[in-house]
Amino acid sequence: MVYRPDHTTPDHVMSTGAPDARLSNYRLERLLGSGGMGSVYLARDLALDRDVAIKFIAADQAADVSARHRLVREARAAAALDHPNICGVHEVIVEPDGRAAIVMQYVEGETLADALRRGPLDARLAISIAADVAKALVAAHQRGIIHRDIKPQNIIVTPDKQAKILDFGIARQQQIVAASPEAETMATLTSPGVIVGTPAYMSPEQAQQMPIDGRSDLFSLGAVLYECLTGRRPFNGRSSLEVLSAVLHEEPPEASIVQPQLTGQHDEVVRRLLAKHADDRFKSADELLGALRVLSETSRLEPGPLPRTGSRAWPWLRKSRWARVTVGGVAVAASIGLWSWRLPEGAPDPAAADWYRRGTDAIRDGAYHGARLALNEAIKAAPAYAPPYIRLAEAEAELDDPESAQRALLKVDELVPIEARLPVEHRQRFRAVRAMLLRDVDRAVREYELLAVERPRDPGVLLDLGRAQDAAGQSTAARITYEKALEIDPQYAAAHLRRGMILSLEGQTDEALAEFATAERLYRAASNVEGQVEALIRRGATLATRVDVQNARIALERARDLAADLQSRAQEIRARLGLSRLVTVEGRYEAAAESIRVAIDDALRASLETVAAEGLVDLFGPMVLGPRAADVDGYLLRAIQLAEKRGALRTAARAKLQRASMMVQNGRPAEALDVARGPLTYFQSNRYRSYELFALQIMARAHEGLGQYSEARALAEQTLQAATRVKDDSQIALALENLAGQANVMGILPEALEYRSRGLEIHRRQNDVATLAFDLTNTADLLIRVGRHADAARLLGEVEAGAAKGIDAYKQRGRRAALLRAVSATIQHRFNDARGVRELLPTKPGEQPDSNAQLAALVLQYGDAVSAARRPVSPAESPLAGSIASAFGKELRYWQLAGRLARSDARGALQGAEETMASQGATLSYEFEWRIGALGAAAARALKDVERERAFRERAQGGLQR
């Protein structure tokens, strides 16, 4: 409990009036001797200064003497903290019997808990309070002190809105005190072995009694900040256990949903603070402080309405963004350009300005490693010069190092009052860079648009604007912006590179490759190695989409070697990932997966999380085709987590699309449709044509899996037409495969064979080994079913030759090829040739047969029965095979019924044929209807059942004609 002499005095401070005679030294002595376990006493001692309160913490009943000593040590460590945002500890008193008292600073104000009873705080005040607490935690954590009980009741807000933390130095505790989830935590210390704190503010690791560090305090602060912004706790429940369950397993609604006036920046800071795993939070209170300062500046510097004078008025700009960009017949020298460097008032010597110019140009060229080096040189030449820090933050963000980016922006904040001393141009750039770091990309676009209005003939400013538009998902606008920059300076390598990147995503690969070649040539002429590497990586990736493996490998190997010489780690890893994709295309899955995993590990060690996320998406191919398909989903979920954490929306959408593809493959088409819709919308809105087509292909397969053949066919035909328009052979082949699959399921074999043959030729031309292995066996299957056994044998021979060479893709199709050879031989009544398929059957007790083995067993049984036809064979009843919704299920059912008929079990064959016909209804495959109808007619004829024979014959003839 809290001792309140008159039951009205707040529990954190006594009134500021005259000393209260009721709280004399006599009373203090009496409290010291009370031995109240876990009690907290706040009072004023007449013998002490009036601005000092005495807080007594009872450690009196701790049986463990070492625990008492630890309490005193930690209290004295807290006493060493001297920080304006920490309620100061003046003295630690230890009584002879081991009990301790802490003499603390008197602080005027109210607890944050009292303030929150009136509702949520103004967003700027909430950020300010969180920043004050973060400053205090920086000081405490540097001394190895973890508070362990950050909550509104332990934060005092002074009349001048400064926040101070109470109760540093509590004991290191291990278990939770049962309490009402809504109750304030009155006790700050109890016996060792007990965690004191309101469950709603505990970190998951603290609630689970796991080891904790300073990041536990950050979680608690995140819960406090959420409550300040929204007026409600992030985690609630009817009991302590329910609250703790919410802390461990639930995600609160975003703050901006609860309070619509908040923004995505607020959500992002709170999300990182409340991450369930400590590794996903801010790494330190210092890093959090940087983010809060940036967020505070964003709120403080929110621009008001722009003047409506002349052509610079904002409404005019929205209507015609490029009305002021006049393109005349001006000759532009590539070596000079039109980006005029002007030193702002009070700038340092020209050397720093020159390094700044080089760093700025390097950023625009995509040479972020070189930009970092140049900008650091500018800072060395003039440490108090602010603009290089702004651009350095941008380069660090592009290099996937947000911590360094935040430090650079904080340095700007230290050097200059932003609004007072930075020239307008640098102020806008500062806001734009900061907005990009906070992922407020719309704000960044707006700031760069303002710069473009001020400097419409500056191609560098246009490139900055295009980069922001691309990040905001405005890819069409970005492409137009780059084209405007090229109208001003046709020799601008970075603009060629950036335009090529968008053209590649739009599926215009020929134009994209031409742009990359131009960019590479210009970079090479300018001795810009990092820009040259970037152009080579992009060129290699685009060639890979066209399955031009040879030229893609040349480009990517050159990029890898140049990046290694340059020590540009991010580019080197990206080039290695590109080469690994080529290994997947070649069908060497194990080698591809291993090289991708190594690259991912290197990326994570270098804190290149976006690059690692890309690698995890790339793992999908070799893993889903290889022996570790079961692990794929975990990798994709990790990719989504890393990508969303870094704001890499395109990468996150790619990962989600791959998950949808995997769900279709695993027989979960409805889930696949739900997962694929989000990425499809994103890719369509951004005109990322190749990814959009891939999303439509997956959705077509999902509709097919749901038996919605008309929807599936419409989507497949739509993607085929679109892919043909943009000449994307890979997407054309995928659309043909979808159409072939649908025709196969419907039993229209000639149409399915035509589609498959066209896709096979595309993949053969591309030398796409990974896909070719599937094409060969799938096409051979169709050829066998239409009676073209010799043509099928040639294709199966290609698969067997590839497997003999040790190519993974062909080796994995080896069992399927062996089965198809046995089916072909059995259909031709070459039963001895088919018996080699016995090798596919399980050989160990309890071993489960795969799909090839299941079908092989039925084919062998049929062949054995036909071979023994001259000898009587007793019927061997067995239950019908399972669902015939899939093509594989249909095939099992056919061979099972054919085996019954071959064993002279005509009655069993007829009964099974009737059940099969009745179960399919409107979705019956034409080809399957023909085969089952013929089989049923033969069984009825053997039983001399003329009526049934006629009915089945009609069904068979109808299916055959269709």
Side-chain angles (χ1 to χ4, degrees):
M1 60 172 292
V2 174
Y3 179 75
R4 297 184 179 183
D6 56 6
H7 300 284
T8 59
T9 308
D11 62 350
H12 66 285
V13 66
M14 302 304 295
S15 65
T16 57
D20 191 334
R22 289 177 296 175
L23 295 176
S24 62
N25 283 334
Y26 168 76
R27 173 60 60 84
L28 294 176
E29 290 169 2
R30 188 176 159 199
L31 294 178
L32 269 172
S34 67
M37 176 100 169
S39 298
V40 177
Y41 302 96
L42 295 169
R44 176 178 317 203
D45 185 353
L46 293 176
L48 297 174
D49 184 270
R50 61 173 295 178
D51 289 335
V52 176
I54 300 179
K55 175 183 177 183
F56 295 98
I57 298 181
D60 42 22
Q61 293 188 7
D64 187 348
V65 174
S66 65
R68 294 184 181 180
H69 291 166
R70 187 184 65 215
L71 294 174
V72 173
R73 284 198 307 272
E74 294 188 1
R76 285 175 173 159
L81 291 173
D82 182 13
H83 192 275
N85 297 111
I86 295 176
C87 185
V89 176
H90 293 280
E91 186 179 2
V92 179
I93 303 170
V94 181
E95 294 296 311
D97 60 2
R99 289 173 299 161
I102 301 178
V103 181
M104 300 180 69
Q105 174 189 9
Y106 166 77
V107 181
E108 184 177 359
E110 65 174 348
T111 64
L112 181 58
D114 289 336
L116 288 173
R117 291 190 182 98
R118 298 190 290 271
L121 306 183
D122 175 81
R124 286 170 295 185
L125 176 58
I127 296 166
S128 174
I129 288 173
D132 285 345
V133 175
K135 293 173 188 175
L137 292 176
V138 169
H141 294 169
Q142 286 175 348
R143 290 180 174 268
I145 299 174
I146 306 168
H147 190 284
R148 307 183 190 94
D149 200 21
I150 296 293
K151 59 184 179 182
Q153 291 80 11
N154 281 342
I155 300 171
I156 295 177
V157 183
T158 66
D160 62 357
K161 306 303 181 185
Q162 183 186 36
K164 288 179 176 283
I165 303 181
L166 296 172
D167 290 351
F168 267 103
I170 68 172
R172 194 175 299 271
Q173 300 138 335
Q174 310 265 326
Q175 64 188 55
I176 301 168
V177 173
S180 165
E182 298 300 326
E184 296 180 4
T185 303
M186 303 306 184
T188 54
L189 180 69
T190 183
S191 60
V194 179
I195 290 180
V196 178
T198 304
Y201 302 97
M202 288 182 183
S203 68
E205 59 269 30
Q206 184 178 357
Q208 296 177 91
Q209 304 183 40
M210 297 169 63
I212 62 173
D213 56 24
R215 293 171 296 180
S216 177
D217 284 344
L218 298 187
F219 183 94
S220 302
L221 178 53
V224 171
L225 177 57
Y226 184 94
E227 189 171 354
C228 289
L229 292 169
T230 66
R232 54 189 268 188
R233 290 179 176 179
F235 307 108
N236 291 287
R238 292 170 296 180
S239 66
S240 296
L241 288 178
E242 285 189 7
V243 174
L244 289 176
S245 177
V247 168
L248 293 173
H249 305 296
E250 297 178 11
E251 299 290 346
E254 292 184 342
S256 61
I257 294 177
V258 182
Q259 294 292 337
Q261 71 271 22
L262 300 175
T263 67
Q265 296 100 299
H266 298 94
D267 292 336
E268 174 61 17
V269 171
V270 171
R271 184 192 67 78
R272 286 194 64 187
L273 285 169
L274 293 179
K276 302 298 185 189
H277 197 286
D279 289 344
D280 294 328
R281 297 176 207 148
F282 293 97
K283 292 183 175 62
S284 65
D286 192 47
E287 182 186 354
L288 166 63
L289 183 58
L292 290 172
R293 284 174 175 168
V294 173
L295 184 56
S296 176
E297 281 295 315
T298 302
S299 302
R300 184 167 63 85
L301 298 181
E302 195 68 33
L306 293 174
R308 295 178 178 267
T309 58
S311 62
R312 295 184 184 181
W314 176 250
W316 170 88
L317 179 63
R318 296 292 291 181
K319 290 180 182 178
S320 181
R321 183 175 301 160
W322 298 110
R324 295 188 63 199
V325 181
T326 305
V327 181
V330 181
V332 181
S335 60
I336 299 175
L338 290 177
W339 193 79
S340 58
W341 168 249
R342 294 176 297 172
L343 291 175
E345 184 179 353
D349 60 59
D354 183 58
W355 280 116
Y356 175 44
R357 178 187 57 77
R358 294 187 194 183
T360 297
D361 287 344
I363 286 175
R364 290 166 174 167
D365 287 340
Y368 303 112
H369 178 71
R372 174 195 274 166
L373 298 176
L375 293 166
N376 277 316
E377 288 297 324
I379 290 168
K380 288 179 185 177
Y385 183 36
Y389 291 98
I390 300 173
R391 282 296 196 181
L392 179 61
E394 188 173 10
E396 298 289 9
E398 292 286 353
L399 289 168
D400 212 7
D401 190 350
E403 294 179 38
S404 297
Q406 287 180 357
R407 284 196 296 269
L409 285 184
L410 286 174
K411 189 64 177 178
V412 178
D413 201 19
E414 294 174 11
L415 290 173
V416 293
I418 300 300
E419 293 177 288
R421 289 176 52 190
L422 275 181
V424 173
E425 176 187 337
H426 293 296
R427 190 185 317 163
Q428 287 172 337
R429 180 165 287 115
F430 176 79
R431 289 172 175 170
V433 173
R434 181 179 51 203
M436 289 289 283
L437 289 176
L438 290 171
R439 299 175 192 153
D440 187 355
V441 288
D442 293 331
R443 171 74 178 272
V445 169
R446 181 171 63 185
E447 296 295 345
Y448 280 128
E449 282 178 331
L450 292 173
L451 276 174
V453 170
E454 295 293 329
R455 305 179 67 175
R457 301 289 300 168
D458 187 337
V461 170
L462 293 178
L463 194 88
D464 288 338
L465 171 59
R467 289 170 51 239
Q469 289 168 328
D470 194 12
Q474 303 171 18
S475 60
T476 302
R479 177 170 50 78
I480 294 172
T481 302
Y482 297 142
E483 289 166 356
K484 293 292 184 181
L486 288 170
E487 289 175 2
I488 298 170
D489 183 359
Q491 303 299 309
Y492 198 175
H496 284 290
L497 174 69
R498 294 278 174 177
R499 182 172 182 269
M501 290 161 57
I502 292 180
L503 289 172
S504 180
L505 288 168
E506 291 178 346
Q508 302 182 55
T509 54
D510 289 337
E511 288 188 55
L513 289 170
E515 288 288 59
F516 294 142
T518 301
E520 182 190 354
R521 174 176 55 80
L522 293 171
Y523 282 134
R524 188 168 57 249
S527 299
N528 184 338
V529 179
E530 193 171 355
Q532 187 182 350
V533 170
E534 192 63 31
L536 286 166
I537 290 174
R538 299 292 179 176
R539 183 169 181 267
T542 302
L543 287 167
T545 64
R546 297 177 62 163
V547 201
D548 186 349
V549 175
Q550 181 178 357
N551 288 316
R553 177 170 280 112
I554 292 171
L556 290 167
E557 286 179 345
R558 177 67 174 152
R560 178 199 60 198
D561 296 343
L562 287 173
D565 292 341
L566 191 64
Q567 295 185 342
S568 178
R569 192 67 169 146
Q571 288 183 315
E572 180 194 353
I573 294 172
R574 288 171 53 221
R576 286 163 49 197
L577 286 171
L579 289 167
S580 300
R581 296 184 196 111
L582 300 182
V583 179
T584 303
V585 170
E586 292 173 335
R588 295 185 286 131
Y589 305 138
E590 279 298 311
E594 180 59 26
S595 61
I596 292 173
R597 279 193 287 267
V598 171
I600 291 170
D601 290 342
D602 290 345
L604 290 173
R605 277 194 291 269
S607 297
L608 300 170
E609 292 182 326
T610 302
V611 177
E614 287 281 353
L616 287 164
V617 176
D618 290 339
L619 262 179
F620 175 82
M623 289 193 66
V624 79
L625 297 171
R628 295 183 57 186
D631 299 335
V632 171
D633 196 46
Y635 282 105
L636 290 175
L637 289 172
R638 180 61 173 155
I640 294 168
Q641 180 188 35
L642 288 173
E644 291 181 339
K645 177 181 176 182
R646 288 294 199 219
L649 301 182
R650 188 161 61 218
T651 302
R654 281 187 61 213
K656 291 174 183 177
L657 205 54
Q658 295 287 33
R659 284 198 78 214
S661 176
M662 183 186 65
M663 289 172 177
V664 172
Q665 184 171 319
N666 292 340
R668 296 154 57 193
E671 293 177 68
L673 280 175
D674 289 339
V675 172
R677 287 190 181 101
L680 174 63
T681 301
Y682 173 80
F683 292 134
Q684 286 177 329
S685 63
N686 290 287
R687 294 194 60 193
Y688 294 153
R689 181 65 63 190
S690 295
Y691 293 134
E692 176 189 347
L693 293 177
F694 185 47
L696 290 172
Q697 308 272 24
I698 291 170
M699 296 182 79
R701 287 167 49 209
H703 281 297
E704 179 186 327
L706 291 169
Q708 300 166 353
Y709 299 117
S710 59
E711 293 90 339
R713 188 176 184 85
L715 281 176
E717 289 176 342
Q718 176 187 343
T719 55
L720 178 60
Q721 293 169 4
T724 302
R725 281 196 302 271
V726 298
K727 301 178 182 179
D728 188 335
D729 278 351
S730 295
Q731 293 295 338
I732 290 172
L734 189 55
L736 290 169
E737 172 60 27
N738 275 342
L739 288 167
Q742 293 156 20
N744 185 28
V745 169
M746 295 177 69
I748 310 175
L749 300 190
E751 184 177 304
L753 183 57
E754 179 191 354
Y755 287 135
R756 283 236 163 93
S757 298
R758 287 170 60 189
L760 172 63
E761 289 310 309
I762 290 174
H763 291 139
R764 194 186 294 282
R765 185 171 65 249
Q766 294 177 329
N767 196 29
D768 184 351
V769 175
T771 310
L772 194 58
F774 286 88
D775 287 343
L776 290 169
T777 51
N778 290 337
T779 307
D781 182 17
L782 286 171
L783 289 168
I784 291 169
R785 286 158 62 190
V786 299
R788 292 169 56 182
H789 298 281
D791 292 336
R794 281 194 294 272
L795 298 186
L796 294 175
E798 286 190 50
V799 176
E800 291 157 352
K805 293 178 182 178
I807 300 174
D808 290 344
Y810 290 118
K811 287 166 61 180
Q812 290 180 4
R813 302 303 288 169
R815 288 173 62 83
R816 175 69 173 165
L819 172 64
L820 290 174
R821 281 203 181 274
V823 169
S824 177
T826 300
I827 290 173
Q828 299 176 76
H829 282 208
R830 294 187 288 107
F831 301 119
N832 288 333
D833 293 341
R835 289 197 173 97
V837 82
R838 294 185 187 279
E839 295 178 0
L840 301 182
L841 303 180
T843 57
K844 300 176 183 177
E847 181 181 354
Q848 293 298 315
D850 63 6
S851 58
N852 292 311
Q854 292 178 51
L855 188 53
L858 293 175
V859 170
L860 284 170
Q861 289 174 16
Y862 171 84
D864 290 344
V866 174
S867 298
R870 294 183 180 179
R871 300 187 303 272
V873 178
S874 59
E877 290 295 335
S878 61
L880 289 175
S883 170
I884 53 176
S886 67
F888 173 69
K890 290 180 174 69
E891 206 66 18
L892 286 180
R893 179 67 60 86
Y894 170 76
W895 285 102
Q896 186 179 31
L897 296 181
R900 287 185 179 182
L901 188 60
R903 290 191 300 271
S904 302
D905 183 10
R907 192 171 303 282
L910 180 62
Q911 180 182 353
E914 288 179 329
E915 289 182 19
T916 300
M917 287 291 198
S919 66
Q920 281 297 292
T923 61
L924 188 66
S925 157
Y926 302 148
E927 187 255 357
F928 189 59
E929 183 180 11
W930 160 45
R931 284 200 282 166
I932 296 298
L935 193 149
R941 184 168 59 251
L943 295 171
K944 302 185 183 316
D945 191 332
V946 177
E947 187 63 30
R948 283 177 165 175
E949 179 187 357
R950 182 182 59 78
F952 271 108
R953 183 184 296 112
E954 289 177 355
R955 292 291 299 270
Q957 289 173 340
L960 178 59
Q961 290 171 359
R962 286 189 293 272

